[in-house]
PDB file of all heavy atoms in Angstrom:
ATOM      1  N   ARG A  74     -59.263  -0.949   5.378  1.00 90.00           N
ATOM      2  CA  ARG A  74     -60.429  -0.591   4.640  1.00 90.00           C
ATOM      3  C   ARG A  74     -61.155  -1.834   4.173  1.00 90.00           C
ATOM      4  O   ARG A  74     -62.392  -1.805   4.312  1.00 90.00           O
ATOM      5  CB  ARG A  74     -60.119   0.308   3.526  1.00 90.00           C
ATOM      6  CG  ARG A  74     -59.759   1.801   3.938  1.00 90.00           C
ATOM      7  CD  ARG A  74     -59.721   2.764   2.827  1.00 90.00           C
ATOM      8  NE  ARG A  74     -59.550   4.088   3.354  1.00 90.00           N
ATOM      9  CZ  ARG A  74     -58.360   4.664   3.389  1.00 90.00           C
ATOM     10  NH1 ARG A  74     -57.293   4.214   2.828  1.00 90.00           N
ATOM     11  NH2 ARG A  74     -58.249   5.969   3.855  1.00 90.00           N
ATOM     12  N   LEU A  75     -60.467  -2.776   3.674  1.00 90.00           N
ATOM     13  CA  LEU A  75     -61.019  -4.033   3.213  1.00 90.00           C
ATOM     14  C   LEU A  75     -61.761  -4.652   4.388  1.00 90.00           C
ATOM     15  O   LEU A  75     -62.914  -5.345   4.228  1.00 90.00           O
ATOM     16  CB  LEU A  75     -60.140  -4.981   2.472  1.00 90.00           C
ATOM     17  CG  LEU A  75     -59.587  -4.548   1.187  1.00 90.00           C
ATOM     18  CD1 LEU A  75     -58.404  -5.279   0.683  1.00 90.00           C
ATOM     19  CD2 LEU A  75     -60.697  -4.481   0.059  1.00 90.00           C
ATOM     20  N   ALA A  78     -64.946  -2.916   5.429  1.00 84.00           N
ATOM     21  CA  ALA A  78     -66.003  -3.118   4.509  1.00 84.00           C
ATOM     22  C   ALA A  78     -66.543  -4.473   4.553  1.00 84.00           C
ATOM     23  O   ALA A  78     -67.448  -4.984   3.811  1.00 84.00           O
ATOM     24  CB  ALA A  78     -65.549  -2.825   3.123  1.00 84.00           C
ATOM     25  N   ILE A  80     -65.008  -7.195   3.641  1.00 86.00           N
ATOM     26  CA  ILE A  80     -64.526  -7.986   2.359  1.00 86.00           C
ATOM     27  C   ILE A  80     -63.515  -8.988   2.788  1.00 86.00           C
ATOM     28  O   ILE A  80     -63.342 -10.002   2.188  1.00 86.00           O
ATOM     29  CB  ILE A  80     -63.920  -6.981   1.399  1.00 86.00           C
ATOM     30  CG1 ILE A  80     -65.084  -6.049   0.850  1.00 86.00           C
ATOM     31  CG2 ILE A  80     -63.427  -7.687   0.262  1.00 86.00           C
ATOM     32  CD1 ILE A  80     -64.808  -4.830   0.140  1.00 86.00           C
ATOM     33  N   ASN A  98     -58.429  -9.678  -7.881  1.00 96.00           N
ATOM     34  CA  ASN A  98     -58.458  -8.391  -8.470  1.00 96.00           C
ATOM     35  C   ASN A  98     -56.959  -8.076  -8.942  1.00 96.00           C
ATOM     36  O   ASN A  98     -55.949  -8.014  -8.100  1.00 96.00           O
ATOM     37  CB  ASN A  98     -58.879  -7.475  -7.410  1.00 96.00           C
ATOM     38  CG  ASN A  98     -58.896  -5.994  -7.882  1.00 96.00           C
ATOM     39  OD1 ASN A  98     -57.909  -5.291  -7.629  1.00 96.00           O
ATOM     40  ND2 ASN A  98     -60.025  -5.531  -8.395  1.00 96.00           N
ATOM     41  N   THR A 100     -55.611  -5.146  -9.728  1.00 97.00           N
ATOM     42  CA  THR A 100     -55.027  -4.056  -9.104  1.00 97.00           C
ATOM     43  C   THR A 100     -54.419  -4.307  -7.823  1.00 97.00           C
ATOM     44  O   THR A 100     -53.331  -4.042  -7.427  1.00 97.00           O
ATOM     45  CB  THR A 100     -56.088  -2.882  -8.909  1.00 97.00           C
ATOM     46  OG1 THR A 100     -56.661  -2.664 -10.230  1.00 97.00           O
ATOM     47  CG2 THR A 100     -55.568  -1.618  -8.455  1.00 97.00           C
ATOM     48  N   GLU A 128     -52.872   5.818  -5.607  1.00 97.00           N
ATOM     49  CA  GLU A 128     -54.055   5.804  -6.469  1.00 97.00           C
ATOM     50  C   GLU A 128     -54.748   4.554  -6.618  1.00 97.00           C
ATOM     51  O   GLU A 128     -55.929   4.413  -7.084  1.00 97.00           O
ATOM     52  CB  GLU A 128     -53.592   6.391  -7.869  1.00 97.00           C
ATOM     53  CG  GLU A 128     -53.140   7.796  -7.875  1.00 97.00           C
ATOM     54  CD  GLU A 128     -52.483   8.253  -9.196  1.00 97.00           C
ATOM     55  OE1 GLU A 128     -52.399   7.428 -10.169  1.00 97.00           O
ATOM     56  OE2 GLU A 128     -52.130   9.486  -9.312  1.00 97.00           O
ATOM     57  N   GLY A 129     -53.989   3.397  -6.477  1.00 97.00           N
ATOM     58  CA  GLY A 129     -54.534   2.109  -6.622  1.00 97.00           C
ATOM     59  C   GLY A 129     -55.388   1.569  -5.514  1.00 97.00           C
ATOM     60  O   GLY A 129     -56.414   0.878  -5.847  1.00 97.00           O
ATOM     61  N   TRP A 130     -55.176   1.939  -4.278  1.00 96.00           N
ATOM     62  CA  TRP A 130     -56.142   1.427  -3.265  1.00 96.00           C
ATOM     63  C   TRP A 130     -57.431   1.841  -3.411  1.00 96.00           C
ATOM     64  O   TRP A 130     -58.299   1.066  -3.235  1.00 96.00           O
ATOM     65  CB  TRP A 130     -55.437   1.768  -1.838  1.00 96.00           C
ATOM     66  CG  TRP A 130     -54.435   0.701  -1.525  1.00 96.00           C
ATOM     67  CD1 TRP A 130     -53.114   0.609  -1.468  1.00 96.00           C
ATOM     68  CD2 TRP A 130     -54.808  -0.801  -1.115  1.00 96.00           C
ATOM     69  NE1 TRP A 130     -52.567  -0.519  -1.114  1.00 96.00           N
ATOM     70  CE2 TRP A 130     -53.562  -1.385  -0.844  1.00 96.00           C
ATOM     71  CE3 TRP A 130     -56.000  -1.460  -0.929  1.00 96.00           C
ATOM     72  CZ2 TRP A 130     -53.601  -2.682  -0.528  1.00 96.00           C
ATOM     73  CZ3 TRP A 130     -56.002  -2.628  -0.624  1.00 96.00           C
ATOM     74  CH2 TRP A 130     -54.737  -3.374  -0.271  1.00 96.00           C
ATOM     75  N   PRO A 131     -57.755   3.087  -3.695  1.00 95.00           N
ATOM     76  CA  PRO A 131     -59.139   3.487  -3.842  1.00 95.00           C
ATOM     77  C   PRO A 131     -59.795   2.696  -4.993  1.00 95.00           C
ATOM     78  O   PRO A 131     -60.977   2.288  -4.836  1.00 95.00           O
ATOM     79  CB  PRO A 131     -59.138   4.958  -4.222  1.00 95.00           C
ATOM     80  CG  PRO A 131     -57.833   5.473  -3.512  1.00 95.00           C
ATOM     81  CD  PRO A 131     -56.789   4.236  -3.639  1.00 95.00           C
ATOM     82  N   ARG A 132     -59.053   2.387  -6.057  1.00 96.00           N
ATOM     83  CA  ARG A 132     -59.611   1.495  -7.117  1.00 96.00           C
ATOM     84  C   ARG A 132     -59.844   0.102  -6.631  1.00 96.00           C
ATOM     85  O   ARG A 132     -60.917  -0.411  -7.007  1.00 96.00           O
ATOM     86  CB  ARG A 132     -58.582   1.526  -8.306  1.00 96.00           C
ATOM     87  CG  ARG A 132     -58.810   2.508  -9.327  1.00 96.00           C
ATOM     88  CD  ARG A 132     -58.123   2.279 -10.619  1.00 96.00           C
ATOM     89  NE  ARG A 132     -56.841   1.628 -10.514  1.00 96.00           N
ATOM     90  CZ  ARG A 132     -55.582   2.269 -10.508  1.00 96.00           C
ATOM     91  NH1 ARG A 132     -55.681   3.556 -10.513  1.00 96.00           N
ATOM     92  NH2 ARG A 132     -54.477   1.585 -10.502  1.00 96.00           N
ATOM     93  N   VAL A 133     -58.941  -0.459  -5.797  1.00 96.00           N
ATOM     94  CA  VAL A 133     -59.193  -1.784  -5.344  1.00 96.00           C
ATOM     95  C   VAL A 133     -60.604  -1.798  -4.517  1.00 96.00           C
ATOM     96  O   VAL A 133     -61.388  -2.617  -4.692  1.00 96.00           O
ATOM     97  CB  VAL A 133     -58.026  -2.327  -4.378  1.00 96.00           C
ATOM     98  CG1 VAL A 133     -58.407  -3.536  -3.666  1.00 96.00           C
ATOM     99  CG2 VAL A 133     -56.773  -2.446  -5.221  1.00 96.00           C
ATOM    100  N   ILE A 134     -60.665  -0.903  -3.686  1.00 92.00           N
ATOM    101  CA  ILE A 134     -61.848  -0.793  -2.795  1.00 92.00           C
ATOM    102  C   ILE A 134     -63.099  -0.725  -3.651  1.00 92.00           C
ATOM    103  O   ILE A 134     -64.106  -1.386  -3.428  1.00 92.00           O
ATOM    104  CB  ILE A 134     -61.820   0.297  -1.845  1.00 92.00           C
ATOM    105  CG1 ILE A 134     -60.547   0.175  -0.955  1.00 92.00           C
ATOM    106  CG2 ILE A 134     -63.070   0.398  -0.955  1.00 92.00           C
ATOM    107  CD1 ILE A 134     -60.377  -1.012  -0.048  1.00 92.00           C
ATOM    108  N   ASP A 135     -63.009   0.195  -4.689  1.00 92.00           N
ATOM    109  CA  ASP A 135     -64.146   0.400  -5.457  1.00 92.00           C
ATOM    110  C   ASP A 135     -64.545  -0.909  -6.368  1.00 92.00           C
ATOM    111  O   ASP A 135     -65.544  -1.296  -6.567  1.00 92.00           O
ATOM    112  CB  ASP A 135     -63.998   1.550  -6.416  1.00 92.00           C
ATOM    113  CG  ASP A 135     -65.158   1.938  -7.313  1.00 92.00           C
ATOM    114  OD1 ASP A 135     -66.314   2.046  -6.800  1.00 92.00           O
ATOM    115  OD2 ASP A 135     -64.943   1.821  -8.536  1.00 92.00           O
ATOM    116  N   GLU A 136     -63.482  -1.533  -6.822  1.00 93.00           N
ATOM    117  CA  GLU A 136     -63.715  -2.684  -7.723  1.00 93.00           C
ATOM    118  C   GLU A 136     -64.108  -3.916  -6.983  1.00 93.00           C
ATOM    119  O   GLU A 136     -64.823  -4.733  -7.657  1.00 93.00           O
ATOM    120  CB  GLU A 136     -62.266  -3.071  -8.413  1.00 93.00           C
ATOM    121  CG  GLU A 136     -61.868  -1.979  -9.533  1.00 93.00           C
ATOM    122  CD  GLU A 136     -60.450  -2.214  -9.874  1.00 93.00           C
ATOM    123  OE1 GLU A 136     -59.664  -3.098  -9.520  1.00 93.00           O
ATOM    124  OE2 GLU A 136     -59.932  -1.352 -10.699  1.00 93.00           O
ATOM    125  N   VAL A 137     -63.796  -4.058  -5.626  1.00 92.00           N
ATOM    126  CA  VAL A 137     -64.207  -5.248  -4.958  1.00 92.00           C
ATOM    127  C   VAL A 137     -65.456  -5.061  -4.100  1.00 92.00           C
ATOM    128  O   VAL A 137     -65.968  -6.045  -3.513  1.00 92.00           O
ATOM    129  CB  VAL A 137     -63.052  -5.904  -4.134  1.00 92.00           C
ATOM    130  CG1 VAL A 137     -61.901  -6.185  -5.046  1.00 92.00           C
ATOM    131  CG2 VAL A 137     -62.702  -4.992  -2.984  1.00 92.00           C
ATOM    132  N   ARG A 138     -65.850  -3.933  -3.998  1.00 85.00           N
ATOM    133  CA  ARG A 138     -67.087  -3.523  -3.075  1.00 85.00           C
ATOM    134  C   ARG A 138     -68.275  -4.352  -3.656  1.00 85.00           C
ATOM    135  O   ARG A 138     -68.549  -4.179  -4.824  1.00 85.00           O
ATOM    136  CB  ARG A 138     -67.293  -2.108  -2.970  1.00 85.00           C
ATOM    137  CG  ARG A 138     -68.508  -1.697  -2.060  1.00 85.00           C
ATOM    138  CD  ARG A 138     -68.639  -0.234  -1.939  1.00 85.00           C
ATOM    139  NE  ARG A 138     -67.534   0.307  -1.209  1.00 85.00           N
ATOM    140  CZ  ARG A 138     -66.881   1.393  -1.775  1.00 85.00           C
ATOM    141  NH1 ARG A 138     -67.096   1.900  -2.886  1.00 85.00           N
ATOM    142  NH2 ARG A 138     -65.858   1.815  -0.920  1.00 85.00           N
ATOM    143  N   PRO A 139     -68.881  -5.103  -2.825  1.00 78.00           N
ATOM    144  CA  PRO A 139     -70.148  -5.787  -3.355  1.00 78.00           C
ATOM    145  C   PRO A 139     -71.103  -4.750  -3.817  1.00 78.00           C
ATOM    146  O   PRO A 139     -71.419  -3.769  -3.158  1.00 78.00           O
ATOM    147  CB  PRO A 139     -70.720  -6.533  -2.159  1.00 78.00           C
ATOM    148  CG  PRO A 139     -69.489  -6.614  -1.202  1.00 78.00           C
ATOM    149  CD  PRO A 139     -68.757  -5.434  -1.416  1.00 78.00           C
ATOM    150  N   ARG A 140     -71.792  -4.988  -4.940  1.00 69.00           N
ATOM    151  CA  ARG A 140     -72.844  -4.184  -5.458  1.00 69.00           C
ATOM    152  C   ARG A 140     -73.946  -5.124  -5.927  1.00 69.00           C
ATOM    153  O   ARG A 140     -73.751  -6.181  -6.460  1.00 69.00           O
ATOM    154  CB  ARG A 140     -72.379  -3.392  -6.701  1.00 69.00           C
ATOM    155  CG  ARG A 140     -71.308  -2.304  -6.234  1.00 69.00           C
ATOM    156  CD  ARG A 140     -71.176  -1.322  -7.369  1.00 69.00           C
ATOM    157  NE  ARG A 140     -70.208  -0.344  -7.010  1.00 69.00           N
ATOM    158  CZ  ARG A 140     -68.874  -0.334  -7.531  1.00 69.00           C
ATOM    159  NH1 ARG A 140     -68.588  -1.134  -8.515  1.00 69.00           N
ATOM    160  NH2 ARG A 140     -68.120   0.583  -7.098  1.00 69.00           N
ATOM    161  N   ARG A 143     -73.850  -7.493  -9.272  1.00 52.00           N
ATOM    162  CA  ARG A 143     -72.602  -7.716  -9.618  1.00 52.00           C
ATOM    163  C   ARG A 143     -72.277  -9.180  -9.336  1.00 52.00           C
ATOM    164  O   ARG A 143     -72.380  -9.635  -8.244  1.00 52.00           O
ATOM    165  CB  ARG A 143     -71.581  -6.702  -9.038  1.00 52.00           C
ATOM    166  CG  ARG A 143     -70.057  -7.168  -9.369  1.00 52.00           C
ATOM    167  CD  ARG A 143     -69.158  -6.433  -8.522  1.00 52.00           C
ATOM    168  NE  ARG A 143     -68.683  -5.141  -9.214  1.00 52.00           N
ATOM    169  CZ  ARG A 143     -67.927  -4.263  -8.773  1.00 52.00           C
ATOM    170  NH1 ARG A 143     -67.444  -4.356  -7.732  1.00 52.00           N
ATOM    171  NH2 ARG A 143     -67.659  -3.162  -9.548  1.00 52.00           N
ATOM    172  N   ASP A 147     -67.009 -10.393 -11.710  1.00 47.00           N
ATOM    173  CA  ASP A 147     -66.840  -9.122 -12.216  1.00 47.00           C
ATOM    174  C   ASP A 147     -65.833  -8.330 -11.446  1.00 47.00           C
ATOM    175  O   ASP A 147     -65.654  -7.178 -11.778  1.00 47.00           O
ATOM    176  CB  ASP A 147     -68.269  -8.430 -12.175  1.00 47.00           C
ATOM    177  CG  ASP A 147     -69.203  -8.968 -13.175  1.00 47.00           C
ATOM    178  OD1 ASP A 147     -68.810  -9.768 -13.965  1.00 47.00           O
ATOM    179  OD2 ASP A 147     -70.501  -8.740 -12.899  1.00 47.00           O
ATOM    180  N   ARG A 148     -65.167  -8.850 -10.525  1.00 47.00           N
ATOM    181  CA  ARG A 148     -64.336  -8.058  -9.639  1.00 47.00           C
ATOM    182  C   ARG A 148     -62.784  -8.144 -10.091  1.00 47.00           C
ATOM    183  O   ARG A 148     -61.981  -7.754  -9.336  1.00 47.00           O
ATOM    184  CB  ARG A 148     -64.367  -8.637  -8.211  1.00 47.00           C
ATOM    185  CG  ARG A 148     -65.651  -8.398  -7.549  1.00 47.00           C
ATOM    186  CD  ARG A 148     -65.685  -8.509  -6.020  1.00 47.00           C
ATOM    187  NE  ARG A 148     -65.592  -9.917  -5.698  1.00 47.00           N
ATOM    188  CZ  ARG A 148     -65.547 -10.394  -4.463  1.00 47.00           C
ATOM    189  NH1 ARG A 148     -65.552  -9.548  -3.542  1.00 47.00           N
ATOM    190  NH2 ARG A 148     -65.494 -11.570  -4.121  1.00 47.00           N
ATOM    191  N   GLY A 150     -61.082  -6.461 -12.163  1.00 49.00           N
ATOM    192  CA  GLY A 150     -60.347  -5.146 -12.365  1.00 49.00           C
ATOM    193  C   GLY A 150     -59.808  -5.007 -13.752  1.00 49.00           C
ATOM    194  O   GLY A 150     -59.442  -6.040 -14.371  1.00 49.00           O
ATOM    195  N   PRO A 151     -59.460  -3.795 -14.215  1.00 46.00           N
ATOM    196  CA  PRO A 151     -59.042  -3.399 -15.507  1.00 46.00           C
ATOM    197  C   PRO A 151     -57.509  -3.573 -15.877  1.00 46.00           C
ATOM    198  O   PRO A 151     -57.189  -3.251 -16.804  1.00 46.00           O
ATOM    199  CB  PRO A 151     -59.553  -2.043 -15.665  1.00 46.00           C
ATOM    200  CG  PRO A 151     -59.402  -1.493 -14.344  1.00 46.00           C
ATOM    201  CD  PRO A 151     -59.682  -2.573 -13.348  1.00 46.00           C
TER     202      PRO A 151
END
Side-chain angles (χ1 to χ4, degrees):
R74 285 189 175 103
L75 290 171
I80 297 168
N98 179 272
T100 305
E128 295 174 357
W130 273 105
R132 272 199 318 271
V133 169
I134 304 300
D135 183 57
E136 291 168 0
V137 301
R138 183 177 292 127
R140 292 197 182 105
R143 177 188 266 180
D147 292 344
R148 296 196 282 180

